[in-house]
Amino acid sequence: MNIQEAKEEITHTLRAYLHKDEMGNYTFPLVRQRPILLIGPPGIGKTAVMEQIARECQVGLVSYTMTHHTRQSAIGLPKIVERDYAGTAMTVTEYTMSEIIASVYDCMERTGKKEGILFIDEINCVSETLAPTMLQLLQNKQFGNHRIPDGWILVAAGNPAAYNKSVREFDIATLDRVRLLNVEADLDAWLRYGITHQIHGAILSYLQIHKEHFYLAESEGGHKSFVTARGWEDLSCLLKSYEEEGIPCGGVMQQYLQKKEVAEEFARYYELYGKYGMDYDIPGLLSGRIEKGTALYEEKRQMAGHAPFDERMMVIQQMLTWLDDGFAGFHQADQDCVQLHAWLAAFLKGTGAFSGFVKEQGERLAVKEQMELLTREEARVQKRALGILTDYGQELKAQRVSTREAQEAVLRACFQEQVRQRRVKVEQLQEQLSRAFAFVSDCFGREQEMILLVTGLTRNDRAMDFIRLCGCPEYLDCAGVLLPEDTEDLQEQARQLLKKEAKE
């Protein structure tokens, strides 16, 4: 299974294990709550998935990487205590609470969440002294003398032996007490993740052509060569930062893609991606600065029409990336309006001062963050809205508004301006989408390139949210006719075209 399928399976398991009857008792027998053991190559997002599950299910999360720990931190330190046995005083050895178990209780106290996930990473790469402790944990959900609290499920993760020489194989007795999920690197799942997290467009388009370069791990003559999903994502962050700062990126590829041939090929591709971005001036085409019917527009159309397929793919990807920046901006503006509307409606129902209301919302937000009741996205939305409310308060002071009625009028005017800005973004995006479809149609008609544009929008949740809310006739017209049921077919067609062009 891929990492997204594993996420769904763990989410279902969490719901099943934590289901309660009408008396508040867990219905799934605790003795049958097998830990989940994820085995998969490094860098495919196992830790990130745990964070997503905890946020979405609103449960606690405590994560530990076992290679960073000793036997003492795992099971606790020994201490001498005195006990009375049959009238005879005896000294015996006990252990302090495991640091890991203590962290679970700390999380419960800090957040108020009595249920959660204890995630133990690299569980099969521990030292020889820790190995028995890990077996005890998987078999009994227990470190030393201390059990994981009821309401907390155990998820462990490790790498296959092919990726780590420190791996220790589990015996049958242990494997018979866990739910084993074998996770594999899956490009399609990662591309969906990549679009959501705005991975660099050059990486997204390159991997659609070179699927075989997404994940590699080779060893020859003692030399290890590898490329991982983590490497691609980290490289994306660096490329974006370097581009913003105007720093050349050519020499960094092999620092992240540690297979020379892949690093060199992507470096060449990235250089062309940047060149074509300048040649075609995608922002100019989509913003309307380069108008249809002008000589410059015709020059771009002719250039695209005679371009090889990999160049056309880059043009489409640059359009999708540029449009996605607009979708992200609209999404933010839409969230701001929804949150502001809710808060302003609450203020108008009350009788207190606006400054006191804003202060109260800030205090509530701080408590929710401390108790981990908000996702990162929800926290960002509320912080942005709180900043806008603060600006509204400054506007009230600047206008020397004193009466409640006058305050409400100013606040309504401020909010209407926020709504107007959202409407402007809608109109701009609709025009940009229309220009994108027009240019692709003028250059290629309804061929592979149009399918790439439609498929790219369909895969993008932000794009689909916008189209559902605000409409896009061109997309609706093309999607029903051109969109393949299986996007893997499209990718394979693209790869075959590129191979054919390379031979010619």
Side-chain angles (χ1 to χ4, degrees), residues 26-40:
Y26 293 113
T27 58
F28 203 109
L30 296 180
V31 71
R32 301 300 175 199
Q33 291 186 5
R34 290 190 175 196
I36 292 175
L37 178 60
L38 287 173
I39 298 295

Side-chain angles (χ1 to χ4, degrees), residues 20 26 60 105 107-109 111-116 149-152:
K20 297 177 182 177
Y26 293 113
Y105 284 102
C107 178
M108 294 167 66
E109 183 177 351
T111 66
K113 295 175 180 177
K114 303 304 180 186
E115 299 172 332
D150 294 346
W152 283 70

Side-chain angles (χ1 to χ4, degrees), residues 473-490:
E474 296 86 356
Y475 171 84
L476 297 175
D477 178 49
C478 292
V481 177
L482 297 178
L483 192 63
E485 295 182 2
D486 187 353
T487 56
E488 176 62 25
D489 291 343
L490 171 63

Side-chain angles (χ1 to χ4, degrees), residues 39-42 124-125 158-169 224:
I39 298 295
N124 58 348
C125 298
N159 300 325
Y163 296 94
N164 194 324
K165 65 180 180 181
S166 301
V167 164
R168 295 175 176 275
E169 298 288 346
K224 294 180 175 61

Side-chain angles (χ1 to χ4, degrees), residues 348 396 399 401 403-415:
L348 294 176
L396 292 175
Q399 295 191 28
V401 176
T403 67
R404 176 80 179 194
E405 184 177 286
Q407 279 189 348
E408 292 180 6
V410 170
L411 292 173
R412 284 193 173 94
C414 288
F415 180 68

Side-chain angles (χ1 to χ4, degrees), residues 47-257:
T47 303
V49 158
M50 293 303 113
E51 295 172 352
Q52 293 168 22
I53 294 171
R55 287 196 302 269
E56 292 168 9
C57 297
Q58 297 189 336
V59 298
L61 174 66
V62 173
S63 298
Y64 271 88
T65 299
M66 289 314 302
T67 50
H68 300 166
H69 286 271
T70 64
R71 185 174 184 275
Q72 286 74 22
S73 63
I75 69 171
L77 294 170
K79 62 179 181 178
I80 305 299
V81 298
E82 190 171 287
R83 292 281 184 264
D84 185 283
Y85 295 114
T88 302
M90 304 287 290
T91 57
V92 297
T93 301
E94 290 187 357
Y95 285 85
T96 59
M97 179 174 282
S98 158
E99 175 189 325
I100 297 173
I101 300 297
S103 294
V104 173
Y105 284 102
D106 288 343
C107 178
M108 294 167 66
E109 183 177 351
R110 183 181 72 256
T111 66
K113 295 175 180 177
K114 303 304 180 186
E115 299 172 332
I117 301 169
L118 174 58
F119 178 58
I120 305 295
D121 200 7
E122 299 186 8
I123 193 168
N124 58 348
C125 298
V126 298
S127 64
E128 186 174 351
T129 57
L130 256 181
T133 303
M134 294 301 99
L135 296 180
Q136 179 194 34
L137 172 67
L138 289 174
Q139 292 178 1
N140 304 315
K141 294 177 65 177
Q142 184 172 329
F143 273 121
N145 298 325
H146 305 284
R147 288 183 56 82
I148 297 172
D150 294 346
W152 283 70
I153 76 167
L154 175 63
V155 180
N159 300 325
Y163 296 94
N164 194 324
K165 65 180 180 181
S166 301
V167 164
R168 295 175 176 275
E169 298 288 346
F170 291 119
D171 58 29
I172 292 177
T174 300
L175 292 174
D176 193 37
R177 289 174 168 84
V178 301
R179 294 179 59 185
L180 179 62
L181 303 183
N182 287 304
V183 185
E184 298 177 351
D186 185 282
L187 177 59
D188 286 340
W190 190 83
L191 285 174
R192 289 191 291 272
Y193 167 88
I195 292 170
T196 301
H197 291 79
Q198 295 188 294
I199 296 296
H200 197 289
I203 292 175
L204 294 177
S205 59
Y206 177 83
L207 290 176
Q208 289 182 65
I209 298 170
H210 299 283
K211 184 174 183 178
E212 70 278 8
H213 291 171
F214 170 55
Y215 205 103
L216 296 168
E218 302 170 354
S219 180
E220 185 175 345
H223 176 71
K224 294 180 175 61
S225 300
F226 58 91
V227 178
T228 69
R230 182 190 294 126
W232 286 113
E233 184 167 7
D234 290 350
L235 176 59
S236 170
C237 292
L238 188 82
L239 293 177
K240 288 185 172 185
S241 295
Y242 273 31
E243 288 170 0
E244 289 175 4
E245 296 294 329
I247 302 172
C249 305
V252 304
M253 307 308 180
Q254 200 163 348
Q255 299 168 21
Y256 292 86
L257 312 175

